[in-house]
């Protein structure tokens, strides 16, 4: 699938291979930058979700705990599910213009929020993918809102690897990736996971302005700017404001 992925696993029959190729071609034609396929099995690192929740790192996001069991078992989301179609789009856009000399300071808005709501954009394309491939029509499509551990699913599908900042990274496409997935009862040809290339690098940890990456591969939401400006109700705690 990519220069840093292993060879995809052999198909069980020509029908599976042909269907997989059709889905891949259709997904790329719809504008997705990456697409991969993984078996719909309980995630290997599902226990980390329990540990993270027990440590209180979800903050006020109680919905994560309510759906925890579903996130660890795709069959609870879609009975009879066999495969996950994982897609990604890169949201990198040009930097905003510099402020005029002497102008008052302005707040900064994350690039993913500069345009239309990415939930709507990706979900619309996933639905088009389902409509164009009959075997996917009965599946469940999600963009950041369903009970799916989507980064692990995407990593299992060879779309990228989960970095130390817990974001999905692909060597060619980058790290500013929006993810979506379709859970389906169709059998597909699966891609091999992409090798983790983080190595000894700690640039994401060193750069985090609020020290939210408390250790490699673990983010405390309560310290994260994204959480503090979106998910948390009320004002940002004074102690967190300098970051």
């Amino acid at each position: 699938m990519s220069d840093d992925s292993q060879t995809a696993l052999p198909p069980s029959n020509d029908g599976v291979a042909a269907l997989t190729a059709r889905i891949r071609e259709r997904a790329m034609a719809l504008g997705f930058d990456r697409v991969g396929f993984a078996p719909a099995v309980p995630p290997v690192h599902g226990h980390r979700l329990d540990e993270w929740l027990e440590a209180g790192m979800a903050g006020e996001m109680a919905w994560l705990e309510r759906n925890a069991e579903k996130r660890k078992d795709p069959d609870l989301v879609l009975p009879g599910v066999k495969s996950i179609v994982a897609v990604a789009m890169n949201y990198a856009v040009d930097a905003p213009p510099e402020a005029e000399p002497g102008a008052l300071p302005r707040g900064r808005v994350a690039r993913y929020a500069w345009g239309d709501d990415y939930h709507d954009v990706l979900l619309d394309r996933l639905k088009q993918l389902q409509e164009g491939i009959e075997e996917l029509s009965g599946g469940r499509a999600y963009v950041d809102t369903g009970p799916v551990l989507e980064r692990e699913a995407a990593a299992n599908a060879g779309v990228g690897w989960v970095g130390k900042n817990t974001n999905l990274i692909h060597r060619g496409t980058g790290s500013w990736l929006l993810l979506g997935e379709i859970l389906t009862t169709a059998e597909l040809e699966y891609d091999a996971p992409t090798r983790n290339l983080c190595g000894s690098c700690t640039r994401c940890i060193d750069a985090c302005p609020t020290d939210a990456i408390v250790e490699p591969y673990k983010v405390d939401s309560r310290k994260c700017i994204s959480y503090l400006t979106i998910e948390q109700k009320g004002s940002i705690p004074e102690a967190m404001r300098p970051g």
Side-chain angles (χ1 to χ4, degrees):
M1 224 187 94
S2 65
D3 55 1
D4 56 356
S5 292
Q6 303 173 31
T7 304
L9 302 178
S12 59
N13 57 61
D14 291 340
V16 171
L19 173 60
T20 304
R22 250 189 327 129
I23 295 172
R24 193 188 305 277
E25 181 180 2
R26 174 72 172 156
M28 299 304 288
L30 286 168
F32 293 114
D33 293 304
R34 300 281 301 164
V35 59
F37 309 91
V41 296
V44 173
H45 300 114
H47 64 283
R48 293 182 181 175
L49 174 62
D50 294 328
E51 295 169 357
W52 185 77
L53 290 170
E54 289 171 4
M57 293 188 182
E60 297 177 10
M61 297 183 289
W63 45 271
L64 284 170
E65 188 166 2
R66 286 198 299 269
N67 291 322
E69 292 308 312
K70 286 186 176 181
R71 293 176 188 276
K72 294 183 294 181
D73 186 356
D75 201 62
L76 294 178
V77 181
L78 178 64
V81 63
K82 293 181 180 178
S83 307
I84 297 178
V85 180
V87 299
M89 285 181 61
N90 187 292
Y91 61 87
V93 290
D94 293 335
E98 295 292 332
E100 295 292 332
L104 293 174
R106 295 184 300 174
R108 297 180 63 185
V109 177
R111 279 173 169 80
Y112 76 84
W114 287 6
D116 295 332
D117 189 325
Y118 74 89
H119 298 90
D120 297 335
V121 174
L122 267 71
L123 188 58
D124 178 66
R125 295 187 186 186
L126 284 174
K127 289 181 177 179
Q128 290 183 59
L129 179 57
Q130 287 182 283
E131 292 169 358
I133 307 291
E134 182 181 353
E135 290 85 350
L136 298 182
S137 60
R140 300 282 178 85
Y142 295 114
V143 178
D144 194 29
T145 54
V148 181
L149 292 181
E150 59 181 2
R151 283 168 294 185
E152 182 158 342
N156 289 341
V159 174
W161 75 89
V162 179
K164 293 177 182 177
N165 59 0
T166 74
N167 288 333
L168 197 79
I169 304 172
H170 180 263
R171 184 167 65 180
T173 315
S175 62
W176 291 348
L177 296 174
L178 303 171
L179 305 179
E181 56 280 331
I182 297 175
L183 276 64
T184 175
T185 57
E187 183 181 354
L188 299 173
E189 180 185 64
Y190 304 130
D191 293 294
T194 302
R195 183 165 57 94
N196 187 314
L197 298 177
C198 283
S200 60
C201 177
T202 60
R203 289 176 66 185
C204 62
I205 298 174
D206 300 336
C208 183
T210 55
D211 297 321
I213 310 173
V214 293
E215 62 183 69
Y217 309 106
K218 182 180 289 186
V219 170
D220 187 339
S221 295
R222 299 166 297 183
K223 296 182 177 182
C224 180
I225 291 175
S226 180
Y227 170 83
L228 292 169
T229 56
I230 299 175
E231 300 292 350
Q232 179 183 261
K233 304 299 183 287
S235 61
I236 296 174
E238 290 189 12
M240 301 301 301
R241 294 179 189 179

